[in-house]
Amino acid sequence: MSEDLNVKEEKGDISIHTENILPIIKKWLYSDREIFIRELISNGVDALTKLRHLSVMGDYKGDTGELSVEVTIDSENKRIIFKDNGIGMTADEIKKYINQIAFSGAEEFIKSHKDEAGASEIIGHFGLGFYSAFMVSTKVEIITRSYTGGSASHWINDGGTEFILREHSKEDRGTEVILNVADDSKEFLDVAKVREVIEKYCSFLPFTIKLNGSVINDKQPLWLKSAKDVKEEDYKEFYSKIFPFESEPLFWIHLDVEVPFRLKGILYFPKLRHELDSSKGRIKLYCNQVFVTDNSKEIIPEFLTLLQGTLDIPDLPLNVSRSYLQNDPYVRKISEHITKKVSDKLNEIFKMDRPRYEQFWEDINIFVKFGMMNNEKFFEKVKDVIIFKTSDNIYRTLEEYKTKNNGVNKEENGKQVILYSSDPEKQAAIINIAKNHNIEVVYFTTMIDVHFIQFLEMKDSNVTFMRVDSDNNHILKGEEEKGIVDENNKTSNDKIKELFEKILKDENKGLNIKVGPLKDPGISGMIVYSEHMRRFKEMNMAYNRNSDEDIFNEHTLMVNSANSTVKRLIELNGAGADKVNDIIHNIYDLALLSQNNLKGDRLIKYIARNESLIGKYAEV
């Protein structure tokens, strides 16, 4: 910094409209103290943008040189210096734009050049950015010299309303802002800390940004380029740069809009590690390449918050601190456009490369389903490209499934029944029965599906969904008959039921016994549930995830009266009650085991019982 000249000095008060506004700024104007770095660099970029504009228009004839903002950490003297070689200021401009806090130099510049190209790129129309410097400083100084020439000026303020303004010996064009750092802000004298903040907010500014001589930023971020000029590896490289340690994205959308609003950006669909991986949702919001926030919930619809990427919105309506978006019609239009572009991309990939679409469906289906349930326009646009994996190990749309299985599934009240499985491994035995009857089972395996099923039933009144282990599943049942009559024992289903209820009465209070013929005589019994009650309990579990309640405590053991062993139970009961007791317990245990629900004491007893049976066979 050059030494002051021994020339006249002026003292005065800053013109403000609120008494002692600077302490107020320190307390509440900015949500985070580190913001001062972003604001002062942004002001420097404004000054560079103005000079470049004037040079292009022919109003500045000099050599602009390399336009840059340099940040210098002088930890020994406890100072941070922000220096740019932009437009600079005269003494009168300091009085107007710095002392009269109600005015914004950038705002006036835009108005005076509103019909000229590039004028709207000025960041400084946010207003009070310079005053964020007082959040971390005991004293702030400005040394500046205008591009028009004349004497340089030195402005000094210690955080109150009084200032000193004097001439200075600075000879080069531009502005230096010197912060004398307060003791409670010494963390900002750490070069690594400041570098972290600059990289967060200023990594993609259009002019060179330096910290202690090292260049920090990339002046041409990928989102500013035309999509036709960007290769696949470029998108992946950029993604790994802004989201290190993440797996490669599934696909992406390159946004480039000029009318009715300006918007550029790249949205990536990440590969999720697990269902509803909330850590993924990071869309970095920029305004003229200045980072604003990665919490852009007003712009990004809730169902798309799992996306990652960057959005640059030059005309973004922000409050004075740039920290929070204002919810207005402009923002809503942007949100609707993003929703449309996402749905368009899904339709494009589905139609152009369905195998690829099916490949990443398991990663994106959660938020697509969530979006359909929460956004009617999105539902209308993507309803025909929603696919379901089936027991035939292929993917079908709902219409494809309905067409393929039309007339195969029994209709309920005029509706086509769509059988589904929530756990293909657990319900494998019942799925196999469906396959043997040429019925395709749809797989619904995510937490959101219990809600999505009801949503689809509401949207399509011609279908009803039924889980394969529902007690109303017609494929499980054989021909209806009043009872099974054995020639020797003259027994009936009622007697078999009575026998099961007697032996299993102490097993489970929620256990119901039902006896009837199943289509597969090789199965002695299986567990089935009430479709209505099961859905209700699953939804309750979704809202009370910490509950220890066994939501399937109430269930039905469907005893197969067409099974040869079941038919002989009454006869066996007369010969030896212990044997019947073991058989009935085993029938129940095997039914539980087939659904992976045999656990605890029941599992221990099952193992002991079968060990005993093995021993008996060995004796024989």
Side-chain angles (χ1 to χ4, degrees), residues 162-207:
E162 295 181 353
F163 69 89
I164 295 174
L165 181 61
R166 59 167 72 111
E167 289 185 2
H168 194 273
S169 60
K170 177 180 173 65
E171 296 182 355
D172 56 331
R173 175 198 73 229
T175 300
E176 296 177 47
V177 178
I178 301 112
L179 311 187
N180 295 271
V181 178
D183 289 339
D184 64 356
S185 302
K186 287 182 179 179
E187 61 186 290
F188 296 108
L189 294 173
D190 180 356
V191 175
K193 167 68 176 178
V194 175
R195 182 184 184 91
E196 178 186 335
V197 177
I198 294 176
E199 288 178 343
K200 176 180 178 181
Y201 292 103
C202 308
S203 283
F204 303 108
L205 284 173
F207 298 96

Side-chain angles (χ1 to χ4, degrees), residues 40-86:
L40 294 180
I41 291 178
S42 296
N43 286 348
V45 170
D46 288 343
L48 301 176
T49 304
K50 291 177 183 179
L51 185 71
R52 183 175 63 182
H53 176 76
L54 293 173
S55 178
V56 170
M57 299 303 296
D59 295 332
Y60 177 66
K61 307 295 185 182
D63 180 15
T64 60
E66 182 190 14
L67 298 177
S68 66
V69 176
E70 297 187 33
V71 182
T72 303
I73 307 297
D74 180 1
S75 55
E76 184 177 346
N77 295 305
K78 296 197 297 185
R79 299 191 309 173
I80 306 176
I81 303 167
F82 296 81
K83 181 180 179 180
D84 69 74
N85 58 346

Side-chain angles (χ1 to χ4, degrees), residues 318-334:
L318 302 171
N319 65 9
V320 71
S321 71
R322 305 186 194 179
S323 297
Y324 300 99
L325 294 172
Q326 296 170 348
N327 193 8
D328 67 1
Y330 180 84
V331 171
R332 286 196 295 273
K333 286 180 181 177
I334 295 174

Side-chain angles (χ1 to χ4, degrees), residues 182-248:
D183 289 339
D184 64 356
S185 302
K186 287 182 179 179
E187 61 186 290
F188 296 108
L189 294 173
D190 180 356
V191 175
K193 167 68 176 178
V194 175
R195 182 184 184 91
E196 178 186 335
V197 177
I198 294 176
E199 288 178 343
K200 176 180 178 181
Y201 292 103
C202 308
S203 283
F204 303 108
L205 284 173
F207 298 96
T208 299
I209 309 298
K210 296 180 180 179
L211 173 61
N212 286 15
S214 298
V215 176
I216 299 292
N217 64 316
D218 174 4
K219 294 187 290 184
Q220 282 293 319
L222 202 65
W223 70 75
L224 294 182
K225 298 180 181 180
S226 172
K228 64 181 177 61
D229 298 327
V230 184
K231 299 177 181 178
E232 180 175 331
E233 52 265 33
D234 296 330
Y235 285 112
K236 292 179 179 178
E237 182 181 347
F238 182 68
Y239 179 78
S240 65
K241 180 178 180 180
I242 56 176
F243 299 111
F245 314 116
E246 295 287 357
S247 302
E248 279 192 0

Side-chain angles (χ1 to χ4, degrees), residues 550-563:
D550 179 2
I551 65 165
F552 300 123
N553 195 37
E554 293 184 19
H555 57 272
T556 298
L557 173 62
M558 184 72 185
V559 179
N560 186 7
S561 58
N563 177 263

Side-chain angles (χ1 to χ4, degrees), residues 24 38 85 100-101 130-131 204 212 284 302 304 355 370 413 419 423 449 456 520 526:
I24 296 175
R38 180 190 71 185
N85 58 346
Q100 293 177 298
I101 199 169
F130 165 73
Y131 289 91
F204 303 108
N212 286 15
K284 298 178 182 293
E302 184 181 4
L304 292 178
F370 184 65
N413 300 320
L419 290 179
D423 190 330
D449 282 330
L456 291 177
D520 187 345
M526 64 173 52

Side-chain angles (χ1 to χ4, degrees), residues 21 24 47 93 100 160 195 247 337 358 428 441 518 585 603:
I21 196 172
I24 296 175
E93 286 170 335
Q100 293 177 298
R195 182 184 184 91
S247 302
H337 180 78
E358 293 177 355
V441 178
L518 300 179
H585 275 101
L603 179 58

Side-chain angles (χ1 to χ4, degrees), residues 276-497:
L276 295 177
D277 187 352
S278 59
S279 67
K280 292 292 183 184
R282 289 177 290 159
I283 295 178
K284 298 178 182 293
L285 186 62
Y286 293 81
C287 182
N288 285 321
Q289 296 169 242
V290 179
F291 176 75
V292 176
T293 182
D294 52 12
N295 180 20
S296 47
K297 60 183 180 180
E298 289 87 354
I299 285 182
I300 303 299
E302 184 181 4
F303 72 94
L304 292 178
T305 53
L306 288 174
L307 297 183
Q308 294 178 312
T310 60
L311 290 177
D312 195 335
I313 308 174
D315 306 312
L316 191 66
L318 302 171
N319 65 9
V320 71
S321 71
R322 305 186 194 179
S323 297
Y324 300 99
L325 294 172
Q326 296 170 348
N327 193 8
D328 67 1
Y330 180 84
V331 171
R332 286 196 295 273
K333 286 180 181 177
I334 295 174
S335 177
E336 290 172 1
H337 180 78
I338 291 172
T339 299
K340 178 181 182 300
K341 295 300 288 186
V342 170
S343 60
D344 288 347
K345 186 68 174 181
L346 292 173
N347 276 274
E348 174 192 330
I349 300 176
F350 177 83
K351 292 170 184 175
M352 302 298 291
D353 192 352
R354 180 157 173 175
R356 178 168 169 249
Y357 184 85
E358 293 177 355
Q359 231 175 17
F360 58 64
W361 177 250
E362 296 306 318
D363 285 284
I364 68 169
N365 78 89
I366 300 165
F367 64 80
V368 172
K369 292 172 182 176
F370 184 65
M372 293 173 71
M373 291 189 288
N374 285 272
N375 188 303
E376 183 65 24
K377 289 182 179 179
F378 186 72
F379 165 76
E380 289 296 333
K381 287 182 176 294
V382 302
K383 63 182 180 180
D384 295 329
V385 299
I386 301 305
I387 56 177
F388 308 93
K389 191 171 184 178
T390 76
S391 53
D392 286 351
N393 201 32
I394 60 174
Y395 286 93
R396 298 192 191 279
T397 66
L398 185 58
E399 288 304 314
E400 288 170 348
Y401 177 91
K402 287 163 64 177
T403 300
K404 193 262 183 184
N405 294 278
N406 186 33
V408 179
N409 292 10
K410 183 178 178 181
E411 293 190 352
E412 297 282 344
N413 300 320
K415 298 182 179 183
Q416 182 176 356
V417 174
I418 298 179
L419 290 179
Y420 72 94
S421 168
S422 60
D423 190 330
E425 289 188 8
K426 196 174 181 181
Q427 296 150 2
I430 312 178
I431 293 172
N432 192 55
I433 295 175
K435 282 184 175 182
N436 291 338
H437 288 82
N438 297 315
I439 296 178
E440 202 170 8
V441 178
V442 172
Y443 293 162
F444 284 116
T445 58
T446 68
M447 290 189 301
I448 200 173
D449 282 330
V450 65
H451 302 280
F452 191 60
I453 287 168
Q454 297 205 171
F455 173 78
L456 291 177
E457 288 175 334
M458 179 185 69
K459 288 294 184 180
D460 188 343
S461 59
N462 295 316
V463 300
T464 184
F465 289 86
M466 186 181 296
R467 207 167 84 172
V468 289
D469 56 357
S470 168
D471 57 3
N472 288 324
N473 183 359
H474 70 279
I475 68 166
L476 299 177
K477 302 173 183 177
E479 293 298 321
E480 291 297 331
E481 54 187 62
K482 295 179 181 178
I484 298 176
V485 181
D486 187 275
E487 291 295 330
N488 298 319
N489 299 306
K490 305 294 183 184
T491 188
S492 68
N493 290 352
D494 289 339
K495 289 185 178 180
I496 295 174
K497 180 178 179 181

